[in-house]
Amino acid sequence: MTELERLFALVPPPAAPIDTDADWTRVEDALGLILPREFTEIARRYGRGAFCDEFSCCAPEEMIKENPGRLEDLQLILGDAGADSPHPVYPEPGGLVLWGSDSIGGALCWLTEPAGSPERWKTVYWTRDDEFEYPEGGVAAVLTGLIEDLLARKRENGADVDGPWFDPYRKDVHVYLQLAEAEGAPPYEERLRILRENLAPTSARGSFKGADGARQDHFAAAGDQWRLTYETAYGHQIRVAYPPGEDTRVRNALLAAIDAMGCRVKGVLPVHGTAHWPQLE
């Protein structure tokens, strides 16, 4: 099995990827580089989006815009901290070229040496802790390793998480439902079970348990189209993100689930997008 096949088996590409008609020849012309074919194949199969809410590959416009600016900015930050980057930034000979990022601003880069085939370029992972890591293999192997390590760490820390996933980019509607518990409502664990049961099938996407007992549980529903967090960490609430046009379906499903949980909605905050929710005070 090739590295690319292993990535596809670990995280199946979406059925309807976004922005897959990219003109990578234009990107190559703008950068003056031939990009690894494996990278452009990953872009074609997955499109724009993120692996496990954490890692993403640059879209064409990002790659043109961010090279070399993003890496030069990181070099300045590193210099302000009294350290130097061990690598130059392209177009300096052998310089770094950005190809991806993590959710907190870390940079996944190619080290554009040795001369010859770009398929031989190594990856440098420049973390926001200003550390440089050197994962083995091409882009597919690097992504596979990062995803497996991420999920392993989550599980070791007691997080409830199912298999890896890829979410295509989408301009979601975001709504926060602030909750109050009715008298005799079951404890948190039971409320979470009821919520997920009412929205089944669901897939766990991580969880958090604070020392003070605060909870956060992330999961997806509706064929991974709805992304939810049930929590007490920042107030007792359900946060939900979903595609535009799904307001009525989401509202009806969540209100029924909340009622079954022994709770009521005391406030609704549409955070982003247009959400047609009734006044539920």
Side-chain angles (χ1 to χ4, degrees):
M1 181 181 292
T2 67
E3 293 177 350
L4 199 56
E5 290 169 338
R6 185 165 172 246
L7 176 63
F8 293 161
L10 178 69
V11 189
I18 303 298
D19 294 341
T20 58
D21 57 349
D23 183 359
W24 288 104
T25 301
R26 183 174 64 86
V27 178
E28 292 174 331
D29 289 343
L31 294 177
L33 290 170
I34 301 298
L35 301 178
R37 297 298 90 177
E38 183 184 66
F39 173 78
T40 54
E41 178 64 11
I42 290 170
R44 186 183 71 81
R45 292 293 299 275
Y46 287 96
R48 188 177 174 193
F51 294 88
C52 300
D53 302 325
E54 184 65 22
F55 304 107
S56 59
C57 296
C58 290
E61 294 303 324
E62 291 175 303
M63 186 163 284
I64 295 172
K65 179 181 177 181
E66 301 291 358
N67 283 299
R70 169 89 181 282
L71 297 176
E72 290 174 341
D73 288 344
L74 288 174
Q75 280 190 325
L76 289 174
I77 293 171
L78 198 62
D80 289 342
D84 293 321
S85 169
H87 306 289
V89 171
Y90 183 82
E92 292 185 46
L96 297 174
V97 169
L98 183 76
W99 64 259
S101 61
D102 65 24
S103 64
I104 58 172
L108 290 159
C109 318
W110 285 301
L111 187 60
T112 54
E113 60 179 10
S117 172
E119 310 302 329
R120 298 170 59 195
W121 290 347
K122 300 296 185 182
T123 286
V124 178
Y125 182 15
W126 191 343
T127 73
R128 289 299 291 179
D129 295 326
D130 291 329
E131 295 180 354
F132 292 83
E133 300 177 3
Y134 301 87
E136 293 293 329
V139 171
V142 169
L143 286 171
T144 298
L146 289 173
I147 293 164
E148 290 177 335
D149 288 347
L150 173 68
L151 296 186
R153 290 196 308 271
K154 286 179 177 290
R155 289 167 178 147
E156 287 171 4
N157 292 329
D160 183 16
V161 59
D162 291 327
W165 63 92
F166 179 88
D167 284 328
Y169 173 78
R170 205 173 62 201
K171 291 184 178 180
D172 280 338
V173 175
H174 293 257
V175 176
Y176 293 4
L177 303 176
Q178 299 162 334
L179 305 182
E181 299 169 33
E183 185 176 352
Y188 180 94
E189 289 279 2
E190 179 64 9
R191 297 197 304 268
L192 174 63
R193 185 195 66 78
I194 293 169
L195 174 61
R196 291 187 59 178
E197 184 177 80
N198 274 262
L199 300 177
T202 66
S203 56
R205 292 195 169 186
S207 56
F208 166 81
K209 299 178 183 179
D212 59 354
R215 289 284 303 266
Q216 238 181 22
D217 288 270
H218 311 286
F219 62 96
D224 290 345
Q225 292 297 296
W226 304 352
R227 302 157 196 173
L228 300 102
T229 297
Y230 180 43
E231 67 174 342
T232 58
Y234 297 99
H236 185 199
Q237 63 183 349
I238 296 172
R239 292 185 275 135
V240 57
Y242 57 89
E246 293 258 306
D247 299 304
T248 299
R249 184 177 170 219
V250 174
R251 182 184 67 232
N252 291 343
L254 281 179
L255 292 182
I258 289 166
D259 184 64
M261 293 161 66
C263 298
R264 65 177 179 84
V265 179
K266 66 177 184 179
V268 179
L269 177 61
V271 179
H272 178 73
T274 301
H276 302 289
W277 290 75
Q279 294 298 316
L280 298 172
E281 294 281 358

